[in-house]
PDB file of all heavy atoms in Angstrom:
ATOM      1  N   LYS A 300     -70.998-211.929 -46.426  1.00 93.00           N
ATOM      2  CA  LYS A 300     -70.968-213.059 -45.495  1.00 93.00           C
ATOM      3  C   LYS A 300     -72.221-213.929 -45.618  1.00 93.00           C
ATOM      4  O   LYS A 300     -72.205-215.086 -45.213  1.00 93.00           O
ATOM      5  CB  LYS A 300     -70.821-212.571 -44.051  1.00 93.00           C
ATOM      6  CG  LYS A 300     -69.479-211.953 -43.742  1.00 93.00           C
ATOM      7  CD  LYS A 300     -69.431-211.516 -42.292  1.00 93.00           C
ATOM      8  CE  LYS A 300     -69.368-210.010 -42.298  1.00 93.00           C
ATOM      9  NZ  LYS A 300     -69.484-209.399 -41.014  1.00 93.00           N
ATOM     10  N   ALA A 301     -73.295-213.376 -46.179  1.00 92.00           N
ATOM     11  CA  ALA A 301     -74.543-214.122 -46.310  1.00 92.00           C
ATOM     12  C   ALA A 301     -74.562-215.002 -47.556  1.00 92.00           C
ATOM     13  O   ALA A 301     -75.448-215.822 -47.727  1.00 92.00           O
ATOM     14  CB  ALA A 301     -75.724-213.160 -46.351  1.00 92.00           C
ATOM     15  N   VAL A 302     -73.564-214.826 -48.419  1.00 93.00           N
ATOM     16  CA  VAL A 302     -73.547-215.547 -49.686  1.00 93.00           C
ATOM     17  C   VAL A 302     -72.727-216.822 -49.559  1.00 93.00           C
ATOM     18  O   VAL A 302     -71.511-216.787 -49.437  1.00 93.00           O
ATOM     19  CB  VAL A 302     -72.987-214.659 -50.819  1.00 93.00           C
ATOM     20  CG1 VAL A 302     -73.001-215.407 -52.140  1.00 93.00           C
ATOM     21  CG2 VAL A 302     -73.778-213.364 -50.919  1.00 93.00           C
ATOM     22  N   ASP A 303     -73.432-217.939 -49.585  1.00 93.00           N
ATOM     23  CA  ASP A 303     -72.800-219.257 -49.571  1.00 93.00           C
ATOM     24  C   ASP A 303     -73.330-220.002 -50.794  1.00 93.00           C
ATOM     25  O   ASP A 303     -74.502-220.382 -50.821  1.00 93.00           O
ATOM     26  CB  ASP A 303     -73.142-220.010 -48.280  1.00 93.00           C
ATOM     27  CG  ASP A 303     -72.538-221.394 -48.222  1.00 93.00           C
ATOM     28  OD1 ASP A 303     -71.914-221.836 -49.215  1.00 93.00           O
ATOM     29  OD2 ASP A 303     -72.694-222.047 -47.174  1.00 93.00           O
ATOM     30  N   PRO A 304     -72.495-220.205 -51.809  1.00 92.00           N
ATOM     31  CA  PRO A 304     -72.976-220.864 -53.031  1.00 92.00           C
ATOM     32  C   PRO A 304     -73.614-222.233 -52.769  1.00 92.00           C
ATOM     33  O   PRO A 304     -74.441-222.683 -53.553  1.00 92.00           O
ATOM     34  CB  PRO A 304     -71.724-221.012 -53.886  1.00 92.00           C
ATOM     35  CG  PRO A 304     -70.742-220.042 -53.340  1.00 92.00           C
ATOM     36  CD  PRO A 304     -71.087-219.857 -51.893  1.00 92.00           C
ATOM     37  N   ASP A 305     -73.253-222.868 -51.678  1.00 94.00           N
ATOM     38  CA  ASP A 305     -73.818-224.179 -51.369  1.00 94.00           C
ATOM     39  C   ASP A 305     -75.113-224.089 -50.559  1.00 94.00           C
ATOM     40  O   ASP A 305     -75.712-225.118 -50.262  1.00 94.00           O
ATOM     41  CB  ASP A 305     -72.784-225.021 -50.588  1.00 94.00           C
ATOM     42  CG  ASP A 305     -71.546-225.321 -51.418  1.00 94.00           C
ATOM     43  OD1 ASP A 305     -71.689-225.510 -52.650  1.00 94.00           O
ATOM     44  OD2 ASP A 305     -70.438-225.349 -50.848  1.00 94.00           O
ATOM     45  N   ASP A 306     -75.515-222.879 -50.188  1.00 94.00           N
ATOM     46  CA  ASP A 306     -76.722-222.717 -49.372  1.00 94.00           C
ATOM     47  C   ASP A 306     -77.503-221.483 -49.819  1.00 94.00           C
ATOM     48  O   ASP A 306     -77.680-220.528 -49.066  1.00 94.00           O
ATOM     49  CB  ASP A 306     -76.351-222.618 -47.889  1.00 94.00           C
ATOM     50  CG  ASP A 306     -77.579-222.611 -46.988  1.00 94.00           C
ATOM     51  OD1 ASP A 306     -78.681-222.959 -47.462  1.00 94.00           O
ATOM     52  OD2 ASP A 306     -77.433-222.256 -45.806  1.00 94.00           O
ATOM     53  N   THR A 307     -77.972-221.511 -51.048  1.00 93.00           N
ATOM     54  CA  THR A 307     -78.731-220.358 -51.556  1.00 93.00           C
ATOM     55  C   THR A 307     -80.126-220.276 -50.937  1.00 93.00           C
ATOM     56  O   THR A 307     -80.727-219.203 -50.928  1.00 93.00           O
ATOM     57  CB  THR A 307     -78.853-220.417 -53.089  1.00 93.00           C
ATOM     58  OG1 THR A 307     -79.469-221.653 -53.463  1.00 93.00           O
ATOM     59  CG2 THR A 307     -77.484-220.294 -53.748  1.00 93.00           C
ATOM     60  N   GLU A 308     -80.621-221.376 -50.394  1.00 95.00           N
ATOM     61  CA  GLU A 308     -81.945-221.352 -49.769  1.00 95.00           C
ATOM     62  C   GLU A 308     -81.971-220.435 -48.551  1.00 95.00           C
ATOM     63  O   GLU A 308     -82.932-219.699 -48.344  1.00 95.00           O
ATOM     64  CB  GLU A 308     -82.376-222.760 -49.375  1.00 95.00           C
ATOM     65  CG  GLU A 308     -82.737-223.635 -50.548  1.00 95.00           C
ATOM     66  CD  GLU A 308     -83.152-225.034 -50.134  1.00 95.00           C
ATOM     67  OE1 GLU A 308     -83.577-225.222 -48.964  1.00 95.00           O
ATOM     68  OE2 GLU A 308     -83.060-225.931 -50.974  1.00 95.00           O
ATOM     69  N   THR A 309     -80.925-220.479 -47.759  1.00 94.00           N
ATOM     70  CA  THR A 309     -80.866-219.601 -46.584  1.00 94.00           C
ATOM     71  C   THR A 309     -80.827-218.142 -47.013  1.00 94.00           C
ATOM     72  O   THR A 309     -81.509-217.299 -46.436  1.00 94.00           O
ATOM     73  CB  THR A 309     -79.645-219.941 -45.710  1.00 94.00           C
ATOM     74  OG1 THR A 309     -79.784-221.277 -45.237  1.00 94.00           O
ATOM     75  CG2 THR A 309     -79.531-218.994 -44.531  1.00 94.00           C
ATOM     76  N   LEU A 310     -80.058-217.838 -48.036  1.00 94.00           N
ATOM     77  CA  LEU A 310     -80.001-216.468 -48.539  1.00 94.00           C
ATOM     78  C   LEU A 310     -81.376-216.025 -49.034  1.00 94.00           C
ATOM     79  O   LEU A 310     -81.826-214.915 -48.725  1.00 94.00           O
ATOM     80  CB  LEU A 310     -78.967-216.329 -49.657  1.00 94.00           C
ATOM     81  CG  LEU A 310     -78.853-214.950 -50.296  1.00 94.00           C
ATOM     82  CD1 LEU A 310     -78.544-213.880 -49.258  1.00 94.00           C
ATOM     83  CD2 LEU A 310     -77.798-214.970 -51.388  1.00 94.00           C
ATOM     84  N   ALA A 311     -82.049-216.894 -49.758  1.00 95.00           N
ATOM     85  CA  ALA A 311     -83.393-216.557 -50.243  1.00 95.00           C
ATOM     86  C   ALA A 311     -84.340-216.300 -49.069  1.00 95.00           C
ATOM     87  O   ALA A 311     -85.140-215.361 -49.106  1.00 95.00           O
ATOM     88  CB  ALA A 311     -83.925-217.678 -51.137  1.00 95.00           C
ATOM     89  N   ASP A 312     -84.242-217.128 -48.033  1.00 96.00           N
ATOM     90  CA  ASP A 312     -85.083-216.933 -46.843  1.00 96.00           C
ATOM     91  C   ASP A 312     -84.793-215.586 -46.182  1.00 96.00           C
ATOM     92  O   ASP A 312     -85.710-214.892 -45.733  1.00 96.00           O
ATOM     93  CB  ASP A 312     -84.876-218.054 -45.833  1.00 96.00           C
ATOM     94  CG  ASP A 312     -85.460-219.382 -46.282  1.00 96.00           C
ATOM     95  OD1 ASP A 312     -86.294-219.387 -47.216  1.00 96.00           O
ATOM     96  OD2 ASP A 312     -85.075-220.415 -45.702  1.00 96.00           O
ATOM     97  N   LEU A 313     -83.513-215.216 -46.121  1.00 96.00           N
ATOM     98  CA  LEU A 313     -83.140-213.938 -45.523  1.00 96.00           C
ATOM     99  C   LEU A 313     -83.676-212.768 -46.345  1.00 96.00           C
ATOM    100  O   LEU A 313     -84.148-211.766 -45.787  1.00 96.00           O
ATOM    101  CB  LEU A 313     -81.619-213.823 -45.382  1.00 96.00           C
ATOM    102  CG  LEU A 313     -80.965-214.727 -44.346  1.00 96.00           C
ATOM    103  CD1 LEU A 313     -79.442-214.637 -44.443  1.00 96.00           C
ATOM    104  CD2 LEU A 313     -81.434-214.377 -42.947  1.00 96.00           C
ATOM    105  N   VAL A 314     -83.637-212.891 -47.659  1.00 96.00           N
ATOM    106  CA  VAL A 314     -84.164-211.831 -48.524  1.00 96.00           C
ATOM    107  C   VAL A 314     -85.667-211.677 -48.302  1.00 96.00           C
ATOM    108  O   VAL A 314     -86.173-210.565 -48.120  1.00 96.00           O
ATOM    109  CB  VAL A 314     -83.844-212.113 -50.011  1.00 96.00           C
ATOM    110  CG1 VAL A 314     -84.617-211.164 -50.929  1.00 96.00           C
ATOM    111  CG2 VAL A 314     -82.350-212.003 -50.260  1.00 96.00           C
ATOM    112  N   VAL A 315     -86.379-212.790 -48.298  1.00 96.00           N
ATOM    113  CA  VAL A 315     -87.829-212.738 -48.078  1.00 96.00           C
ATOM    114  C   VAL A 315     -88.135-212.124 -46.711  1.00 96.00           C
ATOM    115  O   VAL A 315     -89.022-211.269 -46.585  1.00 96.00           O
ATOM    116  CB  VAL A 315     -88.455-214.148 -48.207  1.00 96.00           C
ATOM    117  CG1 VAL A 315     -89.899-214.151 -47.719  1.00 96.00           C
ATOM    118  CG2 VAL A 315     -88.376-214.631 -49.643  1.00 96.00           C
ATOM    119  N   ALA A 316     -87.394-212.529 -45.693  1.00 96.00           N
ATOM    120  CA  ALA A 316     -87.636-212.000 -44.340  1.00 96.00           C
ATOM    121  C   ALA A 316     -87.352-210.500 -44.271  1.00 96.00           C
ATOM    122  O   ALA A 316     -88.098-209.748 -43.632  1.00 96.00           O
ATOM    123  CB  ALA A 316     -86.777-212.751 -43.324  1.00 96.00           C
ATOM    124  N   ALA A 317     -86.306-210.049 -44.935  1.00 96.00           N
ATOM    125  CA  ALA A 317     -85.973-208.622 -44.916  1.00 96.00           C
ATOM    126  C   ALA A 317     -87.040-207.806 -45.638  1.00 96.00           C
ATOM    127  O   ALA A 317     -87.450-206.737 -45.164  1.00 96.00           O
ATOM    128  CB  ALA A 317     -84.604-208.382 -45.549  1.00 96.00           C
ATOM    129  N   VAL A 318     -87.509-208.291 -46.791  1.00 96.00           N
ATOM    130  CA  VAL A 318     -88.553-207.588 -47.525  1.00 96.00           C
ATOM    131  C   VAL A 318     -89.843-207.571 -46.708  1.00 96.00           C
ATOM    132  O   VAL A 318     -90.532-206.549 -46.626  1.00 96.00           O
ATOM    133  CB  VAL A 318     -88.766-208.219 -48.921  1.00 96.00           C
ATOM    134  CG1 VAL A 318     -89.997-207.627 -49.610  1.00 96.00           C
ATOM    135  CG2 VAL A 318     -87.528-208.018 -49.785  1.00 96.00           C
ATOM    136  N   HIS A 319     -90.152-208.683 -46.075  1.00 95.00           N
ATOM    137  CA  HIS A 319     -91.343-208.747 -45.226  1.00 95.00           C
ATOM    138  C   HIS A 319     -91.250-207.734 -44.083  1.00 95.00           C
ATOM    139  O   HIS A 319     -92.210-207.000 -43.803  1.00 95.00           O
ATOM    140  CB  HIS A 319     -91.518-210.162 -44.679  1.00 95.00           C
ATOM    141  CG  HIS A 319     -92.714-210.330 -43.808  1.00 95.00           C
ATOM    142  ND1 HIS A 319     -94.000-210.355 -44.298  1.00 95.00           N
ATOM    143  CD2 HIS A 319     -92.827-210.450 -42.462  1.00 95.00           C
ATOM    144  CE1 HIS A 319     -94.846-210.492 -43.293  1.00 95.00           C
ATOM    145  NE2 HIS A 319     -94.161-210.553 -42.172  1.00 95.00           N
ATOM    146  N   ALA A 320     -90.107-207.673 -43.435  1.00 95.00           N
ATOM    147  CA  ALA A 320     -89.917-206.716 -42.327  1.00 95.00           C
ATOM    148  C   ALA A 320     -90.040-205.277 -42.820  1.00 95.00           C
ATOM    149  O   ALA A 320     -90.654-204.429 -42.153  1.00 95.00           O
ATOM    150  CB  ALA A 320     -88.566-206.949 -41.661  1.00 95.00           C
TER     151      ALA A 320
END
Side-chain angles (χ1 to χ4, degrees):
K300 292 181 247 173
V302 181
D303 179 355
D305 296 325
D306 187 15
T307 57
E308 288 180 23
T309 298
L310 178 57
D312 289 343
L313 290 173
V314 169
V315 169
V318 171
H319 180 73

